[in-house]
Amino acid sequence: GALAQQAPGAASPRIYNTVKQKLMEGRQVVGGTVSSPDPGIYCAMANAGFDYLWIEMQHSPLTYQDVARMIWACRGAPAIPFIRVPDATEGDIQKATDIGALGIIVPMVDTVEKARAAVRFAKYPPAGVRSQGGGQYGALWGNDYRRTANDNLTVVVMIESPAGAAIVDEIAAVPGVDAVFAASTDLSSFSGLPQGAPKYEAMVEKIRDATLKAGKKLGGPLAWKDRQGFSFFQGPGETALVRSGARVALGSPTVEGGRKGIAP
């Protein structure tokens, strides 16, 4: 699979992306979602026990300057910075990698070309066309970053529509894609089908089967943690965590209304 593309007899690369390492070992990983520009909140979440942080730049007003400061403020924290970029464009992915993200999450993937673009812009030559330029990546991840970055970057593509689900086998097969994420709420939004409906579940099963057949990792919301085959999860954001933390502090029930296994 894309998580372990090593030539026979080659020296093992230095892996500092602990998320990639855990996935290679067959373990599950969970990320907390960050939409706030506050470095203090970022650091609290980065040290709270999450494997990675899903930094939300598609559906938030966060700027790359905001996120650069956040990542730098908590350099050395256990949670690895992943950025959901607005789109699979060279500019977005270049900035995200330059400021130190080791994971690139690409939304709304419904063509093979978009998946290939994500890999191409995220990886240095010869695997891609990322420009070396400058950034805080070296200070964060070491002087050998240029040699090791391609082995440490994780590319996650999101299937959010029936159009993407229809060709998920081709998308999952793209070299350099590490994980395919089944976007629970948008799959429902675009299809008009509620979670749990037979046709909805058939879409999810198709994404699962194609992803695992391609040797890639399968992602979804944390509510799907007990579903077979899933190993990469998006966890709650800051506001939900504040609410649940307050309930604990006040001795109130911690679980909000809803059905088990259904993503909010």
Side-chain angles (χ1 to χ4, degrees):
L3 285 163
Q5 291 173 337
Q6 279 297 109
S12 295
R14 182 173 76 90
I15 300 296
Y16 41 85
N17 182 346
T18 52
V19 170
K20 196 156 197 173
Q21 186 67 48
K22 290 169 186 174
L23 290 172
M24 288 166 66
E25 293 167 358
R27 296 157 65 187
Q28 292 186 331
V29 297
V30 180
T33 305
V34 179
S35 301
S36 165
D38 188 316
I41 290 175
Y42 179 89
C43 286
M45 292 184 68
N47 289 292
F50 291 112
D51 299 290
Y52 74 97
L53 292 186
W54 176 301
I55 303 168
E56 183 50 66
M57 296 191 73
Q58 181 196 17
H59 290 297
S60 83
L62 283 175
T63 68
Y64 286 100
Q65 184 65 68
D66 291 333
V67 178
R69 289 190 182 115
M70 291 151 58
I71 293 173
W72 184 253
C74 240
R75 57 197 181 276
I80 298 296
F82 277 50
I83 292 176
R84 173 153 72 169
V85 292
D87 199 1
T89 64
E90 186 169 11
D92 282 324
I93 293 175
Q94 180 77 62
K95 288 186 177 75
T97 50
D98 280 354
I99 63 178
L102 293 184
I104 298 296
I105 303 166
V106 180
M108 303 297 297
V109 177
D110 56 9
T111 66
V112 174
E113 290 72 26
K114 193 166 186 176
R116 287 178 179 150
V119 174
R120 189 166 68 249
F121 297 139
K123 303 268 189 173
Y124 285 124
V129 296
R130 179 181 170 189
S131 168
Q132 191 156 1
Q136 62 186 27
Y137 51 78
L140 289 165
W141 306 117
N143 293 333
D144 61 347
Y145 177 86
R146 171 62 182 86
R147 294 196 310 277
T148 57
N150 283 1
D151 288 309
N152 281 277
L153 210 71
T154 302
V155 176
V156 181
V157 297
M158 299 188 70
I159 304 294
E160 308 198 51
S161 68
I167 58 165
V168 65
D169 53 339
E170 297 175 58
I171 291 169
V174 170
V177 166
D178 296 297
V180 176
F181 190 98
S184 55
T185 51
D186 267 316
L187 278 174
S188 181
S189 175
F190 279 97
S191 68
L193 299 167
Q195 292 180 58
K199 287 184 179 178
Y200 178 95
E201 295 303 325
M203 267 196 305
V204 175
E205 287 175 16
K206 181 174 184 180
I207 294 168
R208 180 194 67 200
D209 294 347
T211 299
L212 299 179
K213 183 179 180 182
K216 309 300 175 70
K217 301 301 179 179
L218 179 63
L222 186 57
W224 292 1
K225 199 167 191 291
D226 294 331
R227 287 193 180 216
Q228 183 182 5
F230 284 80
S231 58
F232 179 91
F233 300 98
Q234 180 187 15
E238 315 95 314
T239 52
L241 292 169
V242 169
R243 284 196 303 271
S244 59
R247 289 191 182 95
V248 171
L250 296 170
S252 304
T254 58
V255 179
E256 293 192 46
R259 289 180 292 153
K260 180 176 171 59
I262 300 295

